[in-house]
Amino acid sequence: MKAQVRLLDQNTSNQIAAGEVVEKPASVVKELVENSLDAGADHIEVTIFEGGTEFIRVRDNGSGMDEANARMAILRHATSKIMTAGDLLTLRTLGFRGEALPSIASVSHFNLLTREEGAEFATSITIDGGENLSVDSMGGDVGTTVTVKDLFYNVPARRKFLRTVNTEGRYINEVLSKIALSRPDVHFTLQNGEKEVINTPGSGELTDTIGALYGKQVVAQLLPVHHGQDGIRVDGYISRPTLLKGNRSWQTLFVNGRCINNRMISKAIDHAYQSQIPKAGFPFAVLNLTVDTHTIDINVHPQKSEIKFGDEQAVYRAVYHALCNALTRPMAGQEEADGAVVMKSSASAAAEGTGNSRASEAPLFCSGGSGWNRPSRQAPLTPRSSYAEQIWRTPEVSEPRTEAIFSAQRTTENLEGIGPAGTEASAPGDGTAGTPAARPAEASVPDGIDVIWPLGQVARTFIIAQSENALYLIDQHAAHERIMYDKFVRLAQPVPSQPMLMPLFLNVTPQDVDAVEQHREAFLKLGVDAEPAGETMLRVSALPADVEAGEAEGFISDILKLLAENKEIRPSDLREEVLHYAACHSAIRAGELLNIRQMRELILELLNTEHPFTCPHGRPCMIEVTEPELFKLFKRT
């Protein structure tokens, strides 16, 4: 039978367009709220019943429309946002697509009530499934109210694929939360049945909106982000590495105020937190990128949820450096006073023009330090580049080995007095492990200085320390692991290799053999000489200097697992795995006895790392218990 080409009627074409724009009730809310924002509203109320499948109402106090514009708004391809295709290159509004209102009206019982300021009456337009249009004049407030009932009632196939009422309601909550984060100056409310689930203050402060959506506990863990690079501005907030979620639902990204998803930006976030969080964790982030509209294309996705950048590498660099700067807070200086570690507070740092940080963050991050050698009091401190940056630079074989990165001997040999139980050699006046050090009585401490001093050791594993207003619990192994890892990363030379007296033969899978053969050159740079010795066997003849022969099998297995999980792994990732392993095995152990001087040195070096609160594997190495928390624990609040 010969097929005939026919022109579809308007209602059918609107329903097809609805399949692109109106995917679910949350899509309706998104389109209507974006239109409200474009109309200049600063108060938007959303009400839903049955997850939005039965009832959605979006009410705003925006500019409203007269009858002529209201009639035009429900026609396909009608918009007030653009005039020509060239306007798409400079677009800064949100709801510019002309399909939204007519598409929604074609699959629901639809009503639009709108009045502009100065008009005597409001205009009401009612449409049932794209048909039976009626226009009336009636009373109404300035602004626009759109009511959508029985969504997809005339498209049963689409309605059948909707999720449960609770799930659809959650989608609406997520959509409105993200929009609210983009506009902290707007008061948003969401009423789900009889329950109010969102109520943002509209104060203009992003932290107020974050607090209303996620709680004050999240706000207390935030770090500000402000950075400009290559014509790209990055602003917002990220969380400390200790605040994590199992997925990316706590990461909200905007470009010129439009909520988007972008793999390159997400990758930049992951890499900035590299070695600070567990691989399965995702930090909180609300970031807005301000870019030239000529360098992006926002019309590459029907829901405009994805965006195309002209230079994705520039975007990656800007986000990566913005987060590294936020996570690394260089301090102006440091001192020691009568056995206490002394750090400058954010107040004094700000007063001296050295940068600011939250006053509640004690201890504060600082730069400097040189292993376990005590730094000079007057030694100038220069901000270091982020160690994560250095991980990504894989050194060439031709680089000179000026010194060995890893010591074949235990690092504890550089620590006078550290050894097995009963072998401690305490320095005079240092105190002994388990004996709290006296609080410095006559220390000359300038204004704006936080003093941290060790008190003792618990279970030969945890160091107890205090400042004027906080208590600190420090895992000595995790803390030293962080110190050694940062030191290894900064040195960035090829990893020294140690030949084995007898080659080690390991039974592995054929896939593992292929992976080792493929990455052989990278392995050699990492101090590992491994080569195939059959279809399912590896011959290992050299290991990094700090990996003992008894640990060789576990070490190689860890790397093979990494290769199996990442088919296109970079040499820098392999290098990081070796650094993790070496730092862990060169750090002091749990169960080793430390005296007060050694604890003080450990704390000083920990505070000189860029990320003192977590070990390279993302586990906590220092926990702060503030004065209010102590009072709460003893029910004195």
Side-chain angles (χ1 to χ4, degrees):
M1 182 177 179
K2 186 177 180 180
Q4 294 185 356
V5 178
R6 297 184 180 88
L7 186 65
L8 295 175
D9 62 83
Q10 184 174 353
N11 189 43
T12 303
S13 62
N14 282 341
Q15 290 192 12
I16 294 173
E20 297 179 349
V21 181
V22 188
E23 180 185 1
K24 52 182 178 279
S27 305
V28 175
V29 172
K30 176 180 180 294
E31 295 289 343
L32 297 180
V33 170
E34 287 182 347
N35 283 341
S36 296
L37 292 173
D38 288 341
D42 62 10
H43 189 106
I44 300 175
E45 301 175 1
V46 180
T47 304
I48 64 173
F49 288 98
E50 298 296 317
T53 59
E54 300 298 327
F55 183 91
I56 297 173
R57 183 179 65 212
V58 177
R59 176 184 295 158
D60 68 61
N61 65 344
S63 59
M65 297 176 283
D66 59 18
E67 181 178 331
N69 277 287
R71 286 178 177 270
M72 187 68 69
I74 60 173
L75 299 179
R76 196 178 180 199
H77 303 306
T79 178
S80 63
K81 310 304 187 300
I82 61 175
M83 295 292 292
T84 67
D87 294 338
L88 293 173
L89 299 177
T90 58
L91 197 64
R92 288 193 175 272
T93 55
L94 300 172
F96 73 92
R97 288 175 60 94
E99 291 88 344
L101 290 184
S103 296
I104 295 169
S106 69
V107 292
S108 67
H109 298 299
F110 176 91
N111 177 260
L112 170 70
L113 179 66
T114 182
R115 180 169 78 89
E116 61 180 355
E117 190 172 1
E120 186 176 359
F121 295 103
T123 299
S124 175
I125 298 179
T126 300
I127 306 175
D128 293 320
E131 301 175 348
N132 305 322
L133 182 147
S134 64
V135 181
D136 300 295
S137 295
M138 60 180 62
D141 296 329
V142 173
T144 301
T145 300
V146 177
T147 304
V148 177
K149 298 179 181 179
D150 300 325
L151 186 63
F152 299 133
Y153 80 97
N154 56 347
V155 191
R158 178 62 58 83
R159 191 177 178 94
K160 183 178 66 175
F161 283 98
L162 293 178
R163 301 295 182 88
T164 65
V165 167
N166 289 338
T167 300
E168 296 296 345
R170 188 176 72 251
Y171 290 156
I172 292 175
N173 191 330
E174 292 172 357
V175 164
L176 193 61
S177 294
K178 292 181 183 297
I179 296 176
L181 290 170
S182 73
R183 292 295 302 272
D185 58 319
V186 178
H187 177 203
F188 291 92
T189 63
L190 172 60
Q191 189 82 17
N192 187 348
E194 301 299 324
K195 184 179 180 181
E196 184 180 75
V197 293
I198 290 179
N199 190 336
T200 66
S203 64
E205 294 292 334
L206 180 55
T207 51
D208 291 343
T209 301
I210 294 174
L213 296 173
Y214 298 101
K216 294 181 180 179
Q217 297 85 352
V218 172
V219 175
Q221 297 287 325
L222 296 183
L223 299 172
V225 177
H226 301 291
H227 180 73
Q229 179 177 333
D230 299 331
I232 301 169
R233 183 75 194 174
V234 184
D235 297 284
Y237 288 91
I238 58 174
S239 69
R240 296 179 182 178
T242 51
L243 182 64
L244 301 175
K245 196 173 180 65
N247 53 49
R248 294 192 187 275
S249 62
W250 273 10
Q251 294 183 2
T252 307
L253 309 176
F254 303 100
V255 172
N256 295 341
R258 182 187 300 278
C259 186
I260 57 101
N261 297 314
N262 184 269
R263 293 180 62 185
M264 185 63 70
I265 297 177
S266 297
K267 185 181 295 185
I269 295 173
D270 293 343
H271 291 166
Y273 278 88
Q274 189 166 307
S275 88
Q276 298 184 63
I277 62 176
K279 295 182 183 297
F282 297 92
F284 178 94
V286 177
L287 300 174
N288 181 56
L289 279 66
T290 305
V291 302
D292 186 346
T293 55
H294 290 84
T295 64
I296 58 175
D297 184 358
I298 62 176
N299 204 25
V300 297
H301 191 275
Q303 282 86 39
K304 305 184 290 294
S305 60
E306 297 179 5
I307 198 167
K308 185 176 181 180
F309 293 99
D311 187 351
E312 285 200 330
Q313 290 301 318
V315 172
Y316 172 90
R317 289 192 299 268
V319 175
Y320 175 77
H321 289 293
L323 269 62
C324 285
N325 290 344
L327 288 166
T328 306
R329 300 292 179 187
M331 294 301 299
Q334 62 184 29
E335 297 180 19
E336 279 190 73
D338 293 350
V341 180
V342 182
M343 307 298 294
K344 285 197 175 182
S345 71
S346 59
S348 62
E352 297 174 14
T354 59
N356 198 1
S357 181
R358 291 182 176 270
S360 62
E361 291 177 18
L364 298 168
F365 301 166
C366 71
S367 297
S370 55
W372 283 89
N373 297 320
R374 181 176 301 181
S376 168
R377 284 175 176 239
Q378 305 301 325
L381 293 174
T382 56
R384 295 191 300 259
S385 61
S386 169
Y387 69 88
E389 244 181 356
Q390 300 178 46
I391 289 176
W392 289 92
R393 183 172 71 87
T394 303
E396 300 297 330
V397 176
S398 59
E399 291 185 3
R401 294 185 183 181
T402 57
E403 60 176 332
I405 300 177
F406 307 128
S407 169
Q409 301 178 354
R410 294 276 298 138
T411 307
T412 51
E413 292 182 7
N414 296 325
L415 282 171
E416 179 184 350
I418 293 185
T423 64
E424 178 189 4
S426 302
D430 278 343
T432 59
T435 304
R439 183 171 183 265
E442 299 180 358
S444 176
V445 181
D447 292 338
I449 293 292
D450 288 332
V451 181
I452 301 173
W453 61 92
L455 300 176
Q457 192 182 24
V458 175
R460 296 184 180 179
T461 299
F462 304 104
I463 297 172
I464 311 299
Q466 75 171 97
S467 67
E468 190 67 33
N469 299 308
L471 179 72
Y472 296 95
L473 309 175
I474 302 168
D475 183 322
Q476 64 191 40
H477 172 71
H480 198 202
E481 188 178 356
R482 164 56 69 185
I483 293 166
M484 299 306 297
Y485 179 79
D486 280 19
K487 177 184 177 183
F488 294 160
V489 168
R490 289 195 300 272
L491 291 176
Q493 287 123 345
V495 178
S497 181
Q498 175 177 283
M500 302 183 68
L501 295 176
M502 294 289 293
L504 177 67
F505 291 89
L506 298 177
N507 288 316
V508 295
T509 67
Q511 291 79 11
D512 290 336
V513 172
D514 293 341
V516 170
E517 192 170 19
Q518 178 184 351
H519 295 89
R520 178 164 170 73
E521 291 301 318
F523 275 123
L524 289 174
K525 293 180 182 179
L526 297 173
V528 179
D529 188 358
E531 57 186 347
E535 293 185 0
T536 60
M537 186 167 289
L538 289 178
R539 180 181 184 271
V540 182
S541 56
L543 292 171
D546 272 284
V547 178
E548 299 177 2
E551 302 169 343
E553 188 169 353
F555 173 69
I556 297 296
S557 296
D558 287 346
I559 294 182
L560 292 178
K561 182 180 179 182
L562 185 70
L563 292 174
E565 293 173 349
N566 301 272
K567 300 300 182 184
E568 298 180 1
I569 192 168
R570 294 164 301 210
S572 57
D573 292 329
L574 287 174
R575 179 178 175 81
E576 184 192 4
E577 188 72 15
V578 173
L579 295 183
H580 280 161
Y581 204 92
C584 180
H585 288 269
S586 61
I588 60 176
R589 306 291 186 185
E592 294 190 20
L593 190 65
L594 307 181
N595 63 32
I596 291 297
R597 182 191 65 79
Q598 294 155 354
M599 296 179 205
R600 183 175 69 245
E601 293 288 339
L602 181 67
I603 295 172
L604 178 62
E605 287 301 318
L606 179 63
L607 296 178
N608 279 324
T609 65
E610 296 183 354
H611 306 288
F613 284 94
T614 58
C615 79
H617 302 288
R619 295 187 296 269
C621 60
M622 179 164 62
I623 296 174
E624 177 188 22
V625 185
T626 63
E627 181 179 347
E629 290 171 335
L630 285 171
F631 274 80
K632 185 176 180 180
L633 286 171
F634 288 94
K635 302 188 184 300
R636 298 181 65 90
T637 56

